[in-house]
Coordinates of all heavy atoms in Angstrom, one line a residue:
M1 N -0.6 4.1 24.3 CA -2.0 3.9 24.0 C -2.8 3.8 25.2 O -2.3 3.3 26.3 CB -2.1 2.5 23.2 CG -1.6 2.6 21.7 SD -2.2 1.4 20.6 CE -1.3 0.0 21.1
T2 N -4.1 4.1 25.1 CA -5.0 3.9 26.3 C -5.3 2.5 26.5 O -5.0 1.6 25.6 CB -6.3 4.7 26.0 OG1 -7.0 4.1 24.9 CG2 -6.0 6.2 25.7
D3 N -5.9 2.1 27.6 CA -6.3 0.7 27.8 C -7.3 0.2 26.8 O -7.2 -0.9 26.3 CB -6.9 0.6 29.2 CG -5.9 0.8 30.4 OD1 -4.7 0.6 30.1 OD2 -6.3 1.0 31.5
A4 N -8.2 1.1 26.4 CA -9.2 0.7 25.4 C -8.5 0.4 24.0 O -8.8 -0.6 23.3 CB -10.3 1.7 25.2
M5 N -7.5 1.3 23.7 CA -6.8 1.1 22.4 C -5.9 -0.2 22.5 O -5.8 -0.9 21.5 CB -6.0 2.3 22.1 CG -6.8 3.5 21.6 SD -5.8 5.0 21.4 CE -5.0 4.6 19.9
D6 N -5.3 -0.4 23.7 CA -4.5 -1.6 23.8 C -5.4 -2.9 23.6 O -5.0 -3.8 23.0 CB -3.9 -1.7 25.2 CG -2.6 -0.9 25.3 OD1 -2.0 -0.7 24.3 OD2 -2.3 -0.5 26.5
A7 N -6.6 -2.8 24.2 CA -7.5 -4.0 24.0 C -7.9 -4.2 22.6 O -7.9 -5.3 22.0 CB -8.8 -3.8 24.9
L8 N -8.2 -3.1 21.9 CA -8.6 -3.2 20.5 C -7.4 -3.6 19.6 O -7.5 -4.4 18.7 CB -9.1 -1.8 19.9 CG -10.4 -1.4 20.5 CD1 -10.7 0.1 20.1 CD2 -11.5 -2.3 19.9
Y9 N -6.2 -3.1 19.9 CA -5.0 -3.6 19.2 C -4.8 -5.1 19.4 O -4.5 -5.8 18.5 CB -3.8 -2.8 19.7 CG -2.5 -3.2 19.0 CD1 -2.2 -2.7 17.7 CD2 -1.6 -4.0 19.6 CE1 -1.0 -3.1 17.1 CE2 -0.4 -4.4 19.0 CZ -0.2 -4.0 17.7 OH 1.0 -4.4 17.1
L10 N -4.9 -5.5 20.6 CA -4.7 -7.0 20.9 C -5.8 -7.8 20.2 O -5.4 -8.8 19.6 CB -4.8 -7.2 22.4 CG -4.6 -8.6 22.9 CD1 -3.2 -9.1 22.5 CD2 -4.8 -8.8 24.4
Y11 N -7.0 -7.3 20.2 CA -8.0 -8.0 19.4 C -7.7 -8.1 17.9 O -7.8 -9.1 17.3 CB -9.4 -7.4 19.6 CG -10.5 -8.0 18.8 CD1 -11.1 -9.1 19.2 CD2 -10.8 -7.5 17.5 CE1 -12.1 -9.7 18.4 CE2 -11.7 -8.1 16.7 CZ -12.4 -9.2 17.2 OH -13.3 -9.8 16.4
A12 N -7.3 -6.9 17.4 CA -6.9 -6.9 15.9 C -5.8 -7.8 15.6 O -5.7 -8.5 14.6 CB -6.6 -5.4 15.5
Q13 N -4.8 -7.8 16.5 CA -3.6 -8.6 16.4 C -4.0 -10.1 16.4 O -3.5 -10.9 15.6 CB -2.6 -8.3 17.4 CG -1.2 -8.9 17.2 CD -0.2 -8.4 18.3 OE1 -0.6 -8.4 19.4 NE2 1.0 -8.1 17.8
E14 N -4.8 -10.5 17.3 CA -5.2 -11.9 17.4 C -6.2 -12.4 16.4 O -6.2 -13.6 16.0 CB -5.8 -12.2 18.8 CG -4.8 -12.0 19.9 CD -5.4 -12.2 21.3 OE1 -6.6 -12.3 21.4 OE2 -4.6 -12.2 22.3
H15 N -7.1 -11.5 15.9 CA -8.2 -11.9 15.0 C -8.2 -11.3 13.6 O -8.8 -11.9 12.7 CB -9.5 -11.6 15.7 CG -9.7 -12.2 17.0 ND1 -10.0 -13.5 17.2 CD2 -9.6 -11.7 18.3 CE1 -10.1 -13.8 18.4 NE2 -9.8 -12.7 19.1
L16 N -7.5 -10.3 13.4 CA -7.6 -9.6 12.1 C -6.2 -9.6 11.3 O -6.2 -9.7 10.1 CB -8.1 -8.2 12.2 CG -9.5 -8.1 12.9 CD1 -9.8 -6.6 13.1 CD2 -10.5 -8.7 12.0
F17 N -5.1 -9.4 12.0 CA -3.9 -9.2 11.3 C -3.5 -10.3 10.3 O -3.2 -10.0 9.2 CB -2.7 -9.0 12.3 CG -2.6 -7.6 12.9 CD1 -3.7 -6.7 12.9 CD2 -1.5 -7.2 13.6 CE1 -3.6 -5.5 13.5 CE2 -1.4 -6.0 14.2 CZ -2.5 -5.1 14.1
H18 N -3.7 -11.5 10.8 CA -3.3 -12.6 9.9 C -4.2 -12.7 8.7 O -3.8 -13.1 7.6 CB -3.2 -14.0 10.6 CG -4.6 -14.4 11.2 ND1 -5.1 -14.0 12.3 CD2 -5.4 -15.3 10.6 CE1 -6.3 -14.5 12.5 NE2 -6.5 -15.4 11.5
I19 N -5.4 -12.4 8.8 CA -6.4 -12.3 7.7 C -6.0 -11.2 6.7 O -5.9 -11.5 5.5 CB -7.8 -12.1 8.2 CG1 -8.3 -13.3 9.0 CG2 -8.8 -11.9 7.0 CD1 -9.6 -13.1 9.7
L20 N -5.7 -10.1 7.2 CA -5.3 -9.0 6.4 C -3.9 -9.2 5.7 O -3.7 -8.9 4.5 CB -5.2 -7.7 7.2 CG -6.6 -7.2 7.7 CD1 -6.5 -6.0 8.7 CD2 -7.6 -6.9 6.6
L21 N -3.0 -9.8 6.4 CA -1.7 -10.1 5.8 C -1.8 -11.1 4.7 O -1.1 -11.1 3.7 CB -0.7 -10.6 6.9 CG -0.1 -9.6 7.8 CD1 0.7 -10.2 8.9 CD2 0.7 -8.6 7.1
A22 N -2.7 -12.1 4.9 CA -2.9 -13.1 3.9 C -3.5 -12.5 2.6 O -3.3 -13.0 1.5 CB -3.9 -14.2 4.4
Q23 N -4.1 -11.3 2.7 CA -4.6 -10.6 1.5 C -3.5 -9.9 0.8 O -3.7 -9.4 -0.4 CB -5.7 -9.7 1.9 CG -6.9 -10.4 2.4 CD -8.0 -9.5 2.9 OE1 -7.9 -8.3 2.9 NE2 -9.1 -10.0 3.5
E24 N -2.3 -9.7 1.4 CA -1.2 -9.0 0.8 C -0.6 -10.0 -0.2 O -0.2 -11.1 0.2 CB -0.2 -8.6 1.8 CG -0.7 -7.4 2.7 CD -0.8 -6.1 2.0 OE1 0.0 -5.8 1.1 OE2 -1.8 -5.4 2.2
S25 N -0.4 -9.6 -1.4 CA 0.2 -10.5 -2.4 C 1.6 -10.9 -2.0 O 2.4 -10.0 -1.6 CB 0.1 -9.8 -3.8 OG 0.9 -8.7 -3.8
S26 N 1.9 -12.1 -2.1 CA 3.2 -12.7 -1.9 C 3.7 -12.5 -0.4 O 4.9 -12.6 -0.2 CB 4.2 -12.3 -2.9 OG 4.6 -10.9 -2.8
Y27 N 2.9 -12.2 0.5 CA 3.4 -12.0 1.9 C 4.1 -13.3 2.4 O 5.2 -13.2 2.9 CB 2.2 -11.6 2.8 CG 2.6 -11.7 4.3 CD1 3.4 -10.7 4.9 CD2 2.2 -12.8 5.1 CE1 3.8 -10.8 6.2 CE2 2.6 -12.8 6.4 CZ 3.4 -11.8 7.0 OH 3.8 -11.9 8.3
Y28 N 3.4 -14.4 2.2 CA 3.9 -15.7 2.7 C 5.2 -16.1 2.0 O 6.1 -16.7 2.6 CB 2.9 -16.8 2.8 CG 1.8 -16.5 3.8 CD1 0.5 -16.0 3.5 CD2 2.1 -16.6 5.2 CE1 -0.4 -15.7 4.4 CE2 1.2 -16.3 6.1 CZ -0.1 -15.9 5.8 OH -1.0 -15.6 6.8
V29 N 5.3 -15.7 0.7 CA 6.5 -16.0 -0.1 C 7.7 -15.2 0.5 O 8.7 -15.8 0.8 CB 6.3 -15.6 -1.5 CG1 7.6 -15.7 -2.3 CG2 5.2 -16.6 -2.2
R30 N 7.4 -14.0 0.8 CA 8.5 -13.1 1.4 C 8.8 -13.6 2.8 O 10.0 -13.6 3.2 CB 8.1 -11.7 1.5 CG 8.2 -11.0 0.1 CD 7.9 -9.5 0.2 NE 6.7 -9.3 -0.7 CZ 5.6 -8.7 -0.3 NH1 5.5 -8.3 0.9 NH2 4.6 -8.6 -1.1
L31 N 7.8 -14.0 3.6 CA 8.1 -14.6 4.9 C 9.0 -15.8 4.9 O 9.9 -15.9 5.7 CB 6.8 -14.9 5.6 CG 6.8 -15.2 7.1 CD1 7.3 -14.0 7.9 CD2 5.4 -15.6 7.5
H32 N 8.7 -16.7 4.0 CA 9.5 -17.9 3.8 C 10.9 -17.6 3.3 O 11.9 -18.1 3.8 CB 8.8 -18.8 2.8 CG 9.5 -20.1 2.5 ND1 9.7 -21.1 3.5 CD2 10.2 -20.5 1.5 CE1 10.4 -22.1 3.0 NE2 10.7 -21.8 1.8
R33 N 11.0 -16.6 2.4 CA 12.3 -16.2 1.9 C 13.1 -15.6 3.1 O 14.3 -15.9 3.2 CB 12.1 -15.2 0.8 CG 13.4 -14.8 0.1 CD 13.2 -13.9 -1.1 NE 12.2 -14.4 -2.0 CZ 11.3 -13.6 -2.6 NH1 11.2 -12.3 -2.3 NH2 10.4 -14.2 -3.4
E34 N 12.5 -14.8 3.9 CA 13.2 -14.2 5.0 C 13.8 -15.3 6.0 O 14.9 -15.3 6.4 CB 12.3 -13.3 5.8 CG 13.0 -12.7 7.1 CD 12.0 -12.0 8.0 OE1 10.9 -12.5 8.2 OE2 12.4 -10.9 8.4
D35 N 13.0 -16.4 6.2 CA 13.4 -17.5 7.0 C 14.6 -18.2 6.4 O 15.6 -18.5 7.1 CB 12.3 -18.4 7.3 CG 12.6 -19.5 8.2 OD1 13.1 -19.2 9.3 OD2 12.5 -20.7 7.9
Q36 N 14.6 -18.4 5.1 CA 15.7 -19.0 4.4 C 16.9 -18.2 4.5 O 18.0 -18.7 4.7 CB 15.3 -19.3 2.9 CG 14.3 -20.3 2.7 CD 13.9 -20.5 1.3 OE1 13.8 -19.5 0.5 NE2 13.7 -21.7 0.9
Y37 N 16.8 -16.9 4.3 CA 18.0 -16.0 4.4 C 18.6 -16.1 5.8 O 19.8 -16.1 6.0 CB 17.7 -14.6 4.1 CG 17.4 -14.3 2.6 CD1 16.5 -13.4 2.2 CD2 18.2 -14.9 1.6 CE1 16.2 -13.1 0.9 CE2 18.0 -14.6 0.3 CZ 17.0 -13.7 0.0 OH 16.8 -13.4 -1.4
E38 N 17.7 -16.1 6.8 CA 18.2 -16.2 8.2 C 19.0 -17.5 8.4 O 20.1 -17.5 9.0 CB 17.1 -16.0 9.2 CG 17.6 -16.1 10.6 CD 16.5 -16.0 11.7 OE1 15.4 -15.5 11.4 OE2 16.8 -16.4 12.8
Q39 N 18.4 -18.6 8.0 CA 19.1 -19.9 8.1 C 20.4 -19.9 7.4 O 21.4 -20.4 8.0 CB 18.2 -21.0 7.6 CG 17.0 -21.3 8.5 CD 16.1 -22.3 7.8 OE1 16.5 -23.1 7.0 NE2 14.8 -22.4 8.3
R40 N 20.5 -19.4 6.2 CA 21.8 -19.3 5.5 C 22.8 -18.5 6.2 O 24.0 -18.8 6.3 CB 21.5 -18.8 4.1 CG 20.8 -19.8 3.2 CD 20.4 -19.3 1.9 NE 21.5 -18.7 1.1 CZ 21.3 -17.8 0.1 NH1 20.0 -17.5 -0.2 NH2 22.3 -17.2 -0.5
L41 N 22.3 -17.3 6.7 CA 23.2 -16.4 7.4 C 23.8 -17.1 8.7 O 24.9 -17.0 9.0 CB 22.6 -15.1 7.7 CG 23.4 -14.0 8.4 CD1 24.7 -13.7 7.7 CD2 22.5 -12.8 8.6
R42 N 22.9 -17.7 9.5 CA 23.3 -18.4 10.7 C 24.3 -19.5 10.4 O 25.3 -19.6 11.2 CB 22.1 -19.0 11.4 CG 21.2 -18.0 12.1 CD 20.2 -18.6 13.0 NE 19.4 -17.6 13.6 CZ 19.8 -16.8 14.6 NH1 21.0 -17.0 15.1 NH2 19.0 -15.9 15.1
A43 N 24.1 -20.2 9.3 CA 25.1 -21.2 9.0 C 26.5 -20.7 8.6 O 27.5 -21.3 8.9 CB 24.6 -22.0 7.8
A44 N 26.5 -19.4 8.2 CA 27.8 -18.8 7.8 C 28.5 -18.1 9.0 O 29.6 -17.7 8.9 CB 27.6 -17.8 6.7
L45 N 27.8 -17.9 10.1 CA 28.3 -17.2 11.2 C 28.9 -18.0 12.3 O 28.4 -19.2 12.6 CB 27.2 -16.3 11.9 CG 26.6 -15.2 11.0 CD1 25.4 -14.5 11.7 CD2 27.7 -14.1 10.7
D46 N 29.9 -17.5 13.0 CA 30.3 -18.2 14.2 C 29.4 -17.8 15.4 O 28.4 -17.1 15.2 CB 31.8 -17.8 14.5 CG 32.0 -16.3 14.8 OD1 31.0 -15.6 14.9 OD2 33.2 -15.9 14.9
E47 N 29.7 -18.3 16.6 CA 28.9 -18.1 17.7 C 28.7 -16.6 18.1 O 27.6 -16.1 18.4 CB 29.4 -18.8 19.0 CG 28.5 -18.8 20.1 CD 29.0 -19.7 21.3 OE1 29.6 -20.8 21.0 OE2 28.9 -19.3 22.4
A48 N 29.8 -15.8 18.0 CA 29.7 -14.4 18.2 C 28.9 -13.7 17.2 O 28.0 -12.8 17.5 CB 31.1 -13.8 18.3
G49 N 29.0 -14.1 16.0 CA 28.2 -13.5 14.9 C 26.7 -13.8 15.1 O 25.8 -13.0 14.8
Q50 N 26.4 -15.0 15.5 CA 25.0 -15.4 15.8 C 24.4 -14.6 16.9 O 23.2 -14.2 16.9 CB 24.9 -16.9 16.0 CG 25.2 -17.7 14.8 CD 24.7 -19.1 14.9 OE1 23.8 -19.5 15.6 NE2 25.4 -20.0 14.1
K51 N 25.2 -14.3 17.9 CA 24.7 -13.4 19.0 C 24.4 -12.1 18.5 O 23.3 -11.5 18.8 CB 25.8 -13.4 20.1 CG 25.6 -12.3 21.2 CD 24.7 -12.8 22.2 CE 24.6 -11.8 23.4 NZ 23.8 -10.6 23.2
I52 N 25.2 -11.5 17.6 CA 25.0 -10.2 17.0 C 23.7 -10.3 16.2 O 22.8 -9.4 16.2 CB 26.2 -9.7 16.2 CG1 27.4 -9.4 17.1 CG2 25.8 -8.5 15.4 CD1 28.7 -9.2 16.4
L53 N 23.5 -11.3 15.4 CA 22.3 -11.5 14.6 C 21.1 -11.6 15.5 O 20.1 -11.0 15.2 CB 22.5 -12.8 13.7 CG 21.2 -13.1 12.9 CD1 20.9 -11.9 11.9 CD2 21.5 -14.4 12.1
D54 N 21.2 -12.3 16.6 CA 20.0 -12.4 17.5 C 19.7 -11.0 18.1 O 18.5 -10.7 18.1 CB 20.3 -13.4 18.7 CG 20.4 -14.8 18.3 OD1 19.8 -15.2 17.3 OD2 21.0 -15.6 19.0
D55 N 20.7 -10.2 18.4 CA 20.4 -8.9 18.9 C 19.8 -8.0 17.8 O 18.9 -7.3 18.1 CB 21.7 -8.3 19.4 CG 22.3 -8.9 20.7 OD1 21.5 -9.7 21.3 OD2 23.5 -8.7 21.0
L56 N 20.3 -8.1 16.6 CA 19.7 -7.4 15.5 C 18.3 -7.8 15.3 O 17.4 -6.9 15.1 CB 20.6 -7.6 14.2 CG 20.0 -7.0 12.9 CD1 19.9 -5.5 13.0 CD2 20.8 -7.5 11.7
I57 N 18.0 -9.1 15.3 CA 16.6 -9.5 15.0 C 15.7 -9.0 16.1 O 14.6 -8.5 15.8 CB 16.6 -11.0 14.9 CG1 17.2 -11.5 13.6 CG2 15.1 -11.6 14.9 CD1 17.4 -13.0 13.4
R58 N 16.1 -9.1 17.4 CA 15.3 -8.6 18.5 C 15.0 -7.1 18.3 O 13.9 -6.7 18.5 CB 16.0 -8.9 19.8 CG 15.5 -10.1 20.5 CD 16.0 -10.2 22.0 NE 17.4 -10.1 22.1 CZ 18.2 -11.2 21.9 NH1 17.7 -12.3 21.6 NH2 19.5 -11.1 22.1
T59 N 16.0 -6.3 17.9 CA 15.8 -4.9 17.8 C 14.9 -4.6 16.6 O 14.0 -3.8 16.7 CB 17.2 -4.2 17.5 OG1 18.1 -4.5 18.6 CG2 17.1 -2.7 17.3
K60 N 15.0 -5.4 15.5 CA 14.1 -5.2 14.4 C 12.7 -5.5 14.7 O 11.8 -4.9 14.3 CB 14.6 -5.9 13.1 CG 15.9 -5.4 12.6 CD 16.2 -5.9 11.2 CE 16.3 -4.9 10.1 NZ 15.9 -3.6 10.0
V61 N 12.5 -6.6 15.5 CA 11.2 -7.0 15.9 C 10.6 -5.9 16.8 O 9.4 -5.5 16.6 CB 11.2 -8.3 16.6 CG1 9.9 -8.6 17.4 CG2 11.5 -9.5 15.7
D62 N 11.3 -5.4 17.7 CA 10.9 -4.3 18.6 C 10.5 -3.0 17.7 O 9.4 -2.4 18.0 CB 11.9 -3.9 19.6 CG 12.1 -4.9 20.7 OD1 11.2 -5.8 20.8 OD2 13.1 -4.9 21.4
L63 N 11.3 -2.7 16.7 CA 11.0 -1.6 15.9 C 9.8 -1.8 15.0 O 8.9 -0.9 14.9 CB 12.2 -1.3 14.9 CG 13.4 -0.6 15.6 CD1 14.6 -0.6 14.6 CD2 13.1 0.8 16.0
A64 N 9.6 -3.0 14.5 CA 8.4 -3.4 13.7 C 7.2 -3.3 14.6 O 6.1 -2.7 14.2 CB 8.5 -4.8 13.1
L65 N 7.2 -3.7 15.8 CA 6.1 -3.7 16.7 C 5.7 -2.2 17.0 O 4.6 -1.8 17.0 CB 6.4 -4.4 18.0 CG 5.3 -4.4 19.1 CD1 4.0 -5.0 18.5 CD2 5.7 -5.2 20.3
S66 N 6.8 -1.4 17.2 CA 6.5 0.1 17.5 C 5.8 0.7 16.3 O 4.9 1.5 16.4 CB 7.8 0.8 17.8 OG 8.4 0.4 19.0
G67 N 6.3 0.3 15.1 CA 5.7 0.8 13.8 C 4.2 0.3 13.7 O 3.4 1.1 13.3
E68 N 4.0 -0.9 14.0 CA 2.6 -1.4 13.9 C 1.7 -0.7 14.9 O 0.6 -0.3 14.6 CB 2.6 -2.9 14.3 CG 3.2 -3.8 13.2 CD 3.2 -5.3 13.7 OE1 2.7 -5.6 14.8 OE2 3.8 -6.1 13.0
R69 N 2.2 -0.5 16.1 CA 1.4 0.2 17.1 C 1.1 1.6 16.7 O 0.0 2.1 16.9 CB 2.0 0.1 18.5 CG 2.0 -1.3 19.1 CD 2.8 -1.4 20.3 NE 2.3 -0.7 21.4 CZ 1.3 -1.1 22.3 NH1 0.8 -2.3 22.1 NH2 0.9 -0.3 23.2
A70 N 2.1 2.3 16.1 CA 1.9 3.7 15.7 C 0.9 3.7 14.5 O 0.1 4.6 14.5 CB 3.3 4.3 15.3
A71 N 1.0 2.8 13.6 CA 0.1 2.7 12.5 C -1.3 2.5 13.0 O -2.3 3.1 12.5 CB 0.5 1.7 11.5
F72 N -1.5 1.6 14.0 CA -2.8 1.3 14.5 C -3.4 2.6 15.2 O -4.5 2.9 15.0 CB -2.7 0.2 15.5 CG -4.0 -0.2 16.2 CD1 -4.9 -1.0 15.5 CD2 -4.4 0.3 17.4 CE1 -6.1 -1.3 16.0 CE2 -5.6 0.0 18.0 CZ -6.5 -0.8 17.3
R73 N -2.5 3.3 16.0 CA -3.0 4.5 16.7 C -3.4 5.6 15.6 O -4.4 6.3 15.8 CB -1.9 5.0 17.6 CG -1.7 4.2 18.8 CD -0.9 4.9 19.9 NE 0.3 5.6 19.4 CZ 1.5 5.1 19.3 NH1 1.7 3.9 19.7 NH2 2.5 5.9 18.9
A74 N -2.6 5.7 14.6 CA -2.9 6.7 13.5 C -4.2 6.3 12.8 O -5.1 7.2 12.6 CB -1.8 6.7 12.5
G75 N -4.4 5.1 12.5 CA -5.7 4.6 11.9 C -6.9 4.9 12.8 O -7.9 5.4 12.4
F76 N -6.7 4.6 14.1 CA -7.7 4.8 15.1 C -8.0 6.3 15.2 O -9.2 6.7 15.2 CB -7.2 4.3 16.5 CG -8.3 4.1 17.5 CD1 -9.0 3.0 17.6 CD2 -8.6 5.2 18.4 CE1 -10.0 2.9 18.6 CE2 -9.5 5.1 19.3 CZ -10.3 3.9 19.4
Q77 N -7.0 7.1 15.3 CA -7.2 8.6 15.4 C -7.9 9.1 14.2 O -8.8 9.9 14.3 CB -5.9 9.3 15.6 CG -6.0 10.8 15.8 CD -4.6 11.4 16.1 OE1 -3.7 10.7 16.5 NE2 -4.5 12.7 16.0
I78 N -7.5 8.7 13.0 CA -8.2 9.1 11.7 C -9.7 8.7 11.8 O -10.6 9.5 11.4 CB -7.5 8.6 10.5 CG1 -6.1 9.3 10.3 CG2 -8.3 8.7 9.2 CD1 -5.2 8.6 9.3
A79 N -9.9 7.4 12.2 CA -11.3 7.0 12.2 C -12.1 7.8 13.2 O -13.3 8.2 12.9 CB -11.3 5.5 12.6
M80 N -11.6 8.2 14.3 CA -12.3 9.0 15.3 C -12.6 10.4 14.7 O -13.6 11.0 15.0 CB -11.5 9.1 16.6 CG -11.3 7.8 17.3 SD -12.9 7.1 17.8 CE -13.4 8.2 19.1
E81 N -11.6 11.0 14.0 CA -11.8 12.3 13.4 C -12.8 12.3 12.3 O -13.5 13.3 12.1 CB -10.4 12.8 12.9 CG -9.5 13.2 14.0 CD -8.1 13.6 13.6 OE1 -7.9 13.7 12.3 OE2 -7.2 13.8 14.4
L82 N -12.9 11.2 11.6 CA -13.9 11.1 10.5 C -15.3 10.7 11.0 O -16.2 10.9 10.2 CB -13.4 10.0 9.5 CG -12.2 10.4 8.7 CD1 -11.7 9.2 7.8 CD2 -12.4 11.7 7.9
G83 N -15.4 10.2 12.2 CA -16.7 9.8 12.7 C -17.5 11.0 13.0 O -17.1 12.1 13.0
P84 N -18.8 10.6 13.3 CA -19.8 11.7 13.7 C -19.4 12.5 14.9 O -18.9 12.2 15.8 CB -21.1 11.0 13.8 CG -20.8 9.6 13.9 CD -19.4 9.4 13.4

């Protein structure tokens, strides 16, 4: 992303994402459920398994961030193409 797009993405992340996510039906229910599943899984794993789980979670977070950034860039590009 360009510096301007990075700045806009950071602004959207800090000021808009949580508002938009709150408008998604049952987002917070799913978020809570995910936390419960992680806690249950951690309780069932030994130390080596928890390390693997940590690595998996880090990778999934990185992938989700890449997806968010790509979606933001796509939305930005579409907006620019539709503009005057």
Side-chain angles (χ1 to χ4, degrees):
M1 285 199 287
T2 66
D3 289 343
M5 287 176 72
D6 276 334
L8 289 171
Y9 178 80
L10 183 60
Y11 175 84
Q13 192 175 42
E14 291 176 355
H15 301 283
L16 300 174
F17 282 14
H18 66 279
I19 294 169
L20 296 172
L21 284 173
Q23 294 173 2
E24 291 291 321
S25 64
S26 71
Y27 169 76
Y28 290 106
V29 170
R30 283 187 241 122
L31 189 63
H32 180 70
R33 188 177 305 140
E34 178 188 45
D35 186 53
Q36 289 177 324
Y37 286 144
E38 181 183 341
Q39 289 176 19
R40 288 172 50 200
L41 182 55
R42 284 192 183 283
L45 294 173
D46 62 9
E47 190 174 320
Q50 289 195 29
K51 167 82 171 81
I52 294 169
L53 178 60
D54 289 338
D55 292 344
L56 172 64
I57 290 171
R58 263 192 301 282
T59 300
K60 291 195 116 352
V61 167
D62 289 345
L63 285 170
L65 180 58
S66 294
E68 287 174 9
R69 291 173 64 86
F72 181 82
R73 287 193 318 266
F76 194 89
Q77 184 173 342
I78 291 169
M80 295 299 288
E81 291 174 5
L82 293 175

